[in-house]
Amino acid sequence: MHPTIAPSALLMSQMMSQPMMISSLLTHAKNNYGTTEIVSRRTEGDIHRYTYADCEQRARQVAQMLSRLGVGPGDRVGTLAWNGYRHLELYYGISGSGSVCHTINPRLFEEQISYIINHAEDKVIFFDVSFLALIEKMLPQCPTVQHWICLSDADNMPASDFVKLACYETLIAEEQGDYDWPVFDECAASALCYTSGTTGRPKGALYSHRSTVLHAYASALPGSLSISSAEVIMPVVPMFHVNAWGTPYSCPMTGAKIVFPGAKLDGESLFELIDSERVTMSAGVPTIWAGLLQYVKENKRTFHTFKRTVIGGSTCPAAMMESFREYGVQVVHAWGMTELSPIGTVAGLKAADLSKPRAEQDHILQKQGRSLYGIEMKIVDGEGQQLPNDGKAFGDLLVKGAWVINNYFRAEQSPLVDGWFPTGDVSTIDADGNMQITDRSKDVIKSGGEWISSIDIENVAVAHPAVLIAACIAVHHPKWDERPLLVVVKKPGVTQDEDTLKKDIQTFFEGKVAKWWIPDDVSFIDKMPLTATGKLMKLSLREMFKDHRLEQ
Ligand code: ADP
């Protein structure tokens, strides 16, 4: 516990106290970078471009439209949309007017989507045309929603026999945009995002204006994502989940040009945009980048302006970092979660690391990195005792900070333990502050009382030339309780027979991990089950292999 000092004993400053308003990020961009472009690949198929000044004007029209629809401060407004300029206008129009922008992840199961719309009590839902079929199914189960607004112009409006649809462009054309952004308590809720709910019901993280602006400051800094007006940023990570890692806020804050990829996330479409819009930096999960790298390789393409990409959401395999390096792209490894707005740590080298051999530098860069200023971290053992930051001891990772939740939306009991948020991740922290995830606490393999990191095993496995995706799970073992089983999707064109390949993969681990960590068995499947956010769905795999017997 930190000691405190009574307010009466302090000499208070004479500085202005201005609430940190999300709307001020966009007005700042308009005033300072008014002509900087925002480019979007639309669901209509074409490329749309306009400027920060245009975006700010339309965000004010959105705010006026919401008020006309009867949406007031604190009301939740849902969005089901890809990364694009209209979604950005909604981010600002909704939060800027004091309502709460509830981004909905369309990749969740249908019953999860209706659950969160009802839990949030969304009054209005804005959606991209491509989600109409989903909306039609949702409608009967979502009594709180009064308006379903399609993000389209009148010419491209779809017809529906089931839903009374309103047209976004028609509605905002009725507004003048002569709207002054209100100023209010910076701790008011601004946005709501539910976790993927891989275990149990999805839970809502309710962000504030203050936490969002502070997260934008910290994540834009040099050494964090290093976002500036000299950059062209393509956020591939979706705006419908964890706020596209805060880029819709950090880009206007710094004046970076934004390139939104819309719904087309295949390697070729991403490459085209990177090339034609001179993208310098992007951000996304490893599965997306695997597609881009494959396209570039197969088509012998090269990058001209693309220099950096932020990878997070799952561990970035060393092999992927190396592949990007061959194309002149530096990978910045970051860690975070919905409950952290989302960024907690970013990996990077200090001046003193620059003279170290490449292998040592890579070892640092492959970790999840140091906490951003504003986030504190510690690791604890099963009894809650703090473990040393020696890079070896691993335990449950706890965090606290200005953009960490203190409770879930409408939950009675806070998840905090003595003021710290338990992340559910297991990690090490080294003497230099670098954190490295070794597992999700529910995924660690407990073999004879010792822990095996499933992530370390997967990282080695994906470096094997025949392996496309690998997941390591625990299966029951009569003597050791649990032993690792490696589940593999082979690369296309691999013809080796499975018994030989299995032995070859097991041999591949020798010298790369401790002998007793080598998976006891390797199973091959055609398609890897993935979660709504593109992560390995270990729950399904454990179910699939629950009767798997290991050879004694
Ligand atoms: P959910 O998938 O439940 O919605 P998030 O998208 O918030 O959750 O993901 C948070 C989790 O993703 C973290 O707790 C961690 O397990 C994992 N994660 C995020 N970034 C990384 C990373 N760079 N390396 C390993 N795991 C990561």
Side-chain angles (χ1 to χ4, degrees), residues 78-124:
T79 66
L80 255 168
W82 299 103
N83 291 9
Y85 67 105
R86 290 180 180 131
H87 206 173
L88 190 67
E89 294 159 7
L90 289 169
Y91 262 54
Y92 283 90
I94 299 170
S95 305
S97 57
S99 309
V100 179
C101 180
H102 171 207
T103 51
I104 303 168
N105 183 348
R107 296 189 183 130
L108 294 175
F109 297 120
E110 278 166 28
E111 63 270 24
Q112 288 180 319
I113 297 181
S114 57
Y115 168 81
I116 64 173
I117 291 175
N118 284 309
H119 190 266
E121 295 185 0
D122 290 328
K123 263 192 163 174
V124 180

Side-chain angles (χ1 to χ4, degrees), residues 130-275:
S130 45
F131 300 121
L132 178 62
L134 182 63
I135 295 293
E136 288 179 335
K137 279 192 226 151
M138 292 293 110
L139 179 80
Q141 299 147 47
C142 302
T144 64
V145 182
Q146 297 164 11
H147 305 278
W148 300 89
I149 302 177
C150 186
L151 294 168
S152 166
D153 54 28
D155 293 343
N156 290 293
M157 272 299 282
S160 174
D161 295 334
F162 305 99
V163 195
K164 187 170 163 289
L165 297 180
C167 170
Y168 179 75
E169 291 296 341
T170 308
L171 285 175
I172 60 173
E174 288 165 13
E175 309 298 340
Q176 302 305 312
D178 49 344
Y179 176 87
D180 287 331
W181 293 112
V183 175
F184 46 91
D185 189 334
E186 63 181 13
C187 292
S190 59
L192 176 62
C193 176
Y194 285 75
T195 61
S196 306
T198 36
T199 51
R201 289 284 202 195
K203 295 188 284 264
L206 188 64
Y207 312 114
S208 69
H209 287 255
R210 174 186 160 81
S211 68
T212 305
V213 173
L214 287 174
H215 176 266
Y217 267 123
S219 60
L221 284 175
S224 297
L225 305 195
S226 309
I227 300 186
S228 77
S229 59
E231 301 277 351
V232 180
I233 314 273
M234 180 173 75
V236 176
V237 48
M239 291 168 80
F240 58 66
H241 189 60
V242 290
N243 304 321
W245 298 348
T247 49
Y249 307 109
S250 51
C251 288
M253 172 180 267
T254 57
K257 170 178 167 179
I258 313 181
V259 179
F260 286 125
K264 285 192 156 182
L265 304 179
D266 60 285
E268 182 174 3
S269 306
L270 293 179
F271 181 84
E272 258 179 25
L273 271 185
I274 291 174
D275 207 43

Side-chain angles (χ1 to χ4, degrees), residues 317-333:
M320 179 169 280
M321 267 188 197
E322 194 48 44
S323 299
F324 266 120
R325 181 182 288 155
E326 284 166 19
Y327 286 99
V329 182
Q330 181 207 343
V331 166
V332 179
H333 194 195

Side-chain angles (χ1 to χ4, degrees), residues 196 241 312-315 333-338 368 425 440 533 535:
S196 306
H241 189 60
S314 303
T315 305
H333 194 195
W335 166 88
M337 55 198 310
T338 308
Q368 277 71 11
D425 286 326
R440 290 292 290 168
T533 41
K535 296 175 196 183

